[in-house]
Amino acid sequence: MDVLKSVFKFMIASTLVVGGVLIGGTVLAAKKVDGIGDTLQQKLHE
């Protein structure tokens, strides 16, 4: 039973870590795309 609990704890921790990495990556990608869009808009309106 202890092995099962430790496996579940590991699964939960891994899920939280992977979820955090995915959310962080999504936020960084969105900021990068927004910056590219701003640059493109400035070039178009010159």
Side-chain angles (χ1 to χ4, degrees):
M1 198 59 141
D2 288 337
V3 173
L4 194 60
K5 284 184 181 180
S6 65
V7 168
F8 280 136
K9 284 182 184 179
F10 175 75
M11 286 172 57
I12 291 170
S14 298
T15 302
L16 290 174
V17 168
V18 170
V21 168
L22 289 174
I23 291 171
T26 303
V27 169
L28 290 176
K31 285 184 179 182
K32 186 71 172 174
V33 168
D34 188 41
I36 291 170
D38 290 344
T39 304
L40 180 62
Q41 188 175 21
Q42 285 177 352
K43 287 184 180 180
L44 290 175
H45 289 289
E46 285 182 353

